[in-house]
Short mmCIF file of all heavy atoms in Angstrom, two decimals:
data_model
loop_
_atom_site.label_atom_id
_atom_site.label_comp_id
_atom_site.label_asym_id
_atom_site.label_seq_id
_atom_site.Cartn_x
_atom_site.Cartn_y
_atom_site.Cartn_z
N LEU A 14 -63.74 53.09 -16.29
CA LEU A 14 -64.44 51.81 -16.13
C LEU A 14 -65.86 52.03 -15.61
O LEU A 14 -66.77 51.30 -16.01
CB LEU A 14 -63.65 50.89 -15.23
CG LEU A 14 -62.36 50.33 -15.83
CD1 LEU A 14 -61.56 49.66 -14.74
CD2 LEU A 14 -62.64 49.40 -16.96
N ILE A 15 -66.04 52.99 -14.66
CA ILE A 15 -67.37 53.19 -14.14
C ILE A 15 -68.37 53.47 -15.21
O ILE A 15 -69.54 52.98 -15.13
CB ILE A 15 -67.32 54.30 -13.10
CG1 ILE A 15 -66.67 53.80 -11.78
CG2 ILE A 15 -68.70 54.82 -12.76
CD1 ILE A 15 -66.52 54.89 -10.73
N PHE A 16 -68.03 54.26 -16.19
CA PHE A 16 -68.96 54.72 -17.18
C PHE A 16 -69.02 53.81 -18.44
O PHE A 16 -69.68 54.14 -19.37
CB PHE A 16 -68.74 56.16 -17.50
CG PHE A 16 -68.85 57.07 -16.33
CD1 PHE A 16 -67.83 57.91 -16.02
CD2 PHE A 16 -69.95 56.98 -15.57
CE1 PHE A 16 -67.96 58.76 -14.89
CE2 PHE A 16 -70.07 57.79 -14.45
CZ PHE A 16 -69.09 58.64 -14.12
N ASN A 17 -68.21 52.75 -18.41
CA ASN A 17 -68.22 51.86 -19.56
C ASN A 17 -68.26 50.40 -19.17
O ASN A 17 -67.50 49.58 -19.65
CB ASN A 17 -66.95 52.13 -20.45
CG ASN A 17 -66.93 53.55 -20.94
OD1 ASN A 17 -67.53 53.86 -21.91
ND2 ASN A 17 -66.18 54.38 -20.24
N PRO A 18 -69.13 50.01 -18.26
CA PRO A 18 -69.20 48.61 -17.83
C PRO A 18 -69.78 47.71 -18.93
O PRO A 18 -70.65 48.16 -19.70
CB PRO A 18 -70.09 48.66 -16.57
CG PRO A 18 -71.02 49.83 -16.82
CD PRO A 18 -70.16 50.82 -17.61
N SER A 19 -69.34 46.49 -18.95
CA SER A 19 -69.91 45.51 -19.91
C SER A 19 -69.46 44.14 -19.41
O SER A 19 -68.67 43.99 -18.53
CB SER A 19 -69.44 45.78 -21.30
OG SER A 19 -68.05 45.54 -21.41
N GLY A 20 -69.98 43.10 -20.07
CA GLY A 20 -69.55 41.77 -19.78
C GLY A 20 -70.44 41.13 -18.72
O GLY A 20 -71.48 41.61 -18.38
N SER A 21 -70.02 40.01 -18.21
CA SER A 21 -70.72 39.30 -17.20
C SER A 21 -70.05 39.34 -15.85
O SER A 21 -68.82 39.45 -15.80
CB SER A 21 -70.92 37.80 -17.61
OG SER A 21 -69.68 37.19 -17.81
N ALA A 22 -70.81 39.25 -14.82
CA ALA A 22 -70.29 39.41 -13.48
C ALA A 22 -69.55 38.17 -13.00
O ALA A 22 -69.99 37.04 -13.23
CB ALA A 22 -71.39 39.68 -12.45
N PRO A 23 -68.34 38.34 -12.36
CA PRO A 23 -67.71 37.20 -11.77
C PRO A 23 -68.56 36.72 -10.59
O PRO A 23 -69.42 37.44 -10.06
CB PRO A 23 -66.36 37.80 -11.27
CG PRO A 23 -66.23 39.12 -12.01
CD PRO A 23 -67.59 39.58 -12.23
N PRO A 150 -77.15 54.77 -24.90
CA PRO A 150 -77.96 54.94 -23.66
C PRO A 150 -77.06 55.12 -22.47
O PRO A 150 -75.94 54.59 -22.40
CB PRO A 150 -78.76 53.65 -23.62
CG PRO A 150 -77.95 52.69 -24.35
CD PRO A 150 -77.30 53.40 -25.48
N GLU A 151 -77.59 55.88 -21.50
CA GLU A 151 -76.84 56.06 -20.31
C GLU A 151 -76.84 54.77 -19.45
O GLU A 151 -77.87 54.15 -19.26
CB GLU A 151 -77.43 57.21 -19.47
CG GLU A 151 -76.78 57.57 -18.19
CD GLU A 151 -77.39 58.78 -17.51
OE1 GLU A 151 -77.44 59.82 -18.18
OE2 GLU A 151 -77.88 58.62 -16.42
N PRO A 152 -75.65 54.36 -18.95
CA PRO A 152 -75.59 53.07 -18.20
C PRO A 152 -76.20 53.31 -16.79
O PRO A 152 -76.37 54.39 -16.31
CB PRO A 152 -74.07 52.85 -18.06
CG PRO A 152 -73.50 54.18 -18.20
CD PRO A 152 -74.33 54.96 -19.15
N GLU A 153 -76.54 52.13 -16.25
CA GLU A 153 -77.03 52.21 -14.89
C GLU A 153 -76.01 52.80 -13.92
O GLU A 153 -74.80 52.63 -14.12
CB GLU A 153 -77.38 50.72 -14.43
CG GLU A 153 -77.91 50.66 -13.04
CD GLU A 153 -78.12 49.19 -12.59
OE1 GLU A 153 -78.29 48.37 -13.48
OE2 GLU A 153 -78.04 48.95 -11.39
N ARG A 154 -76.48 53.54 -12.94
CA ARG A 154 -75.59 54.17 -11.97
C ARG A 154 -74.82 53.11 -11.28
O ARG A 154 -75.34 52.13 -10.75
CB ARG A 154 -76.41 54.99 -11.02
CG ARG A 154 -75.49 55.93 -10.13
CD ARG A 154 -76.19 56.42 -8.85
NE ARG A 154 -77.52 56.96 -9.13
CZ ARG A 154 -78.21 57.49 -8.14
NH1 ARG A 154 -77.75 57.55 -6.92
NH2 ARG A 154 -79.44 57.93 -8.37
N PRO A 155 -73.51 53.29 -11.15
CA PRO A 155 -72.66 52.27 -10.49
C PRO A 155 -73.07 52.12 -9.04
O PRO A 155 -73.59 53.06 -8.37
CB PRO A 155 -71.24 52.87 -10.57
CG PRO A 155 -71.31 53.78 -11.73
CD PRO A 155 -72.69 54.34 -11.75
N ARG A 156 -72.85 50.91 -8.49
CA ARG A 156 -73.14 50.61 -7.10
C ARG A 156 -71.81 50.19 -6.38
O ARG A 156 -70.87 49.72 -7.06
CB ARG A 156 -74.21 49.52 -6.96
CG ARG A 156 -75.54 49.91 -7.50
CD ARG A 156 -76.55 48.88 -7.28
NE ARG A 156 -76.76 48.65 -5.89
CZ ARG A 156 -77.68 49.29 -5.15
NH1 ARG A 156 -78.41 50.28 -5.69
NH2 ARG A 156 -77.85 49.06 -3.85
N VAL A 157 -71.82 50.21 -5.08
CA VAL A 157 -70.69 49.87 -4.29
C VAL A 157 -71.08 48.95 -3.19
O VAL A 157 -72.19 49.10 -2.57
CB VAL A 157 -69.99 51.14 -3.67
CG1 VAL A 157 -68.86 50.76 -2.75
CG2 VAL A 157 -69.44 52.02 -4.81
N ARG A 158 -70.26 47.93 -2.86
CA ARG A 158 -70.39 47.12 -1.66
C ARG A 158 -69.17 47.40 -0.81
O ARG A 158 -67.99 47.49 -1.28
CB ARG A 158 -70.41 45.65 -2.02
CG ARG A 158 -71.52 45.09 -2.88
CD ARG A 158 -71.52 43.61 -2.96
NE ARG A 158 -72.46 43.10 -3.93
CZ ARG A 158 -72.20 42.72 -5.15
NH1 ARG A 158 -70.90 42.77 -5.57
NH2 ARG A 158 -73.09 42.27 -5.96
N ALA A 173 -66.93 47.74 -6.72
CA ALA A 173 -67.71 48.61 -7.53
C ALA A 173 -68.22 47.86 -8.74
O ALA A 173 -67.51 47.13 -9.40
CB ALA A 173 -66.86 49.83 -8.00
N TYR A 174 -69.48 48.04 -9.02
CA TYR A 174 -70.10 47.27 -10.12
C TYR A 174 -71.28 48.05 -10.70
O TYR A 174 -71.80 49.03 -10.12
CB TYR A 174 -70.56 45.93 -9.60
CG TYR A 174 -71.60 45.97 -8.57
CD1 TYR A 174 -72.98 45.76 -8.84
CD2 TYR A 174 -71.27 46.23 -7.20
CE1 TYR A 174 -73.94 45.83 -7.85
CE2 TYR A 174 -72.21 46.24 -6.23
CZ TYR A 174 -73.55 46.06 -6.53
OH TYR A 174 -74.50 46.11 -5.54
N ALA A 175 -71.63 47.66 -11.94
CA ALA A 175 -72.81 48.27 -12.63
C ALA A 175 -73.52 47.10 -13.26
O ALA A 175 -72.89 46.17 -13.77
CB ALA A 175 -72.36 49.31 -13.64
N ASP A 176 -74.87 47.21 -13.29
CA ASP A 176 -75.67 46.08 -13.73
C ASP A 176 -75.27 44.88 -12.89
O ASP A 176 -75.32 44.89 -11.71
CB ASP A 176 -75.54 45.90 -15.28
CG ASP A 176 -76.05 47.01 -16.09
OD1 ASP A 176 -77.08 47.64 -15.66
OD2 ASP A 176 -75.42 47.35 -17.08
N THR A 177 -74.76 43.83 -13.57
CA THR A 177 -74.29 42.65 -12.84
C THR A 177 -72.77 42.49 -12.97
O THR A 177 -72.25 41.41 -12.68
CB THR A 177 -74.97 41.39 -13.37
OG1 THR A 177 -74.71 41.28 -14.77
CG2 THR A 177 -76.51 41.41 -13.09
N THR A 178 -72.07 43.51 -13.37
CA THR A 178 -70.65 43.46 -13.65
C THR A 178 -69.81 44.12 -12.56
O THR A 178 -69.97 45.30 -12.26
CB THR A 178 -70.31 44.11 -14.98
OG1 THR A 178 -71.03 43.51 -16.05
CG2 THR A 178 -68.84 43.98 -15.32
N ARG A 179 -68.98 43.30 -11.92
CA ARG A 179 -68.01 43.86 -10.92
C ARG A 179 -66.77 44.21 -11.70
O ARG A 179 -66.17 43.42 -12.41
CB ARG A 179 -67.69 42.86 -9.87
CG ARG A 179 -66.82 43.44 -8.72
CD ARG A 179 -66.57 42.46 -7.63
NE ARG A 179 -65.56 41.47 -8.00
CZ ARG A 179 -65.82 40.17 -8.01
NH1 ARG A 179 -66.94 39.65 -7.60
NH2 ARG A 179 -64.80 39.28 -8.31
N PHE A 180 -66.32 45.48 -11.57
CA PHE A 180 -65.19 45.88 -12.41
C PHE A 180 -64.03 46.44 -11.57
O PHE A 180 -62.92 46.57 -12.10
CB PHE A 180 -65.59 46.97 -13.40
CG PHE A 180 -66.42 48.15 -12.91
CD1 PHE A 180 -65.79 49.28 -12.42
CD2 PHE A 180 -67.79 48.01 -12.86
CE1 PHE A 180 -66.57 50.34 -11.95
CE2 PHE A 180 -68.52 49.05 -12.34
CZ PHE A 180 -67.93 50.20 -11.90
N GLN A 213 -66.89 49.79 -26.36
CA GLN A 213 -67.56 50.51 -25.27
C GLN A 213 -67.12 51.98 -25.17
O GLN A 213 -67.94 52.88 -24.92
CB GLN A 213 -67.30 49.83 -23.95
CG GLN A 213 -68.07 48.53 -23.80
CD GLN A 213 -69.56 48.77 -23.58
OE1 GLN A 213 -69.93 49.59 -22.76
NE2 GLN A 213 -70.36 48.04 -24.29
#
Side-chain angles (χ1 to χ4, degrees):
L14 288 171
I15 284 176
F16 299 127
N17 297 280
S19 65
S21 58
E151 182 174 299
E153 178 184 334
R154 192 197 311 181
R156 298 184 63 87
V157 174
R158 298 187 188 101
Y174 61 100
D176 296 322
T177 58
T178 303
R179 188 177 75 235
F180 49 92
Q213 287 289 312

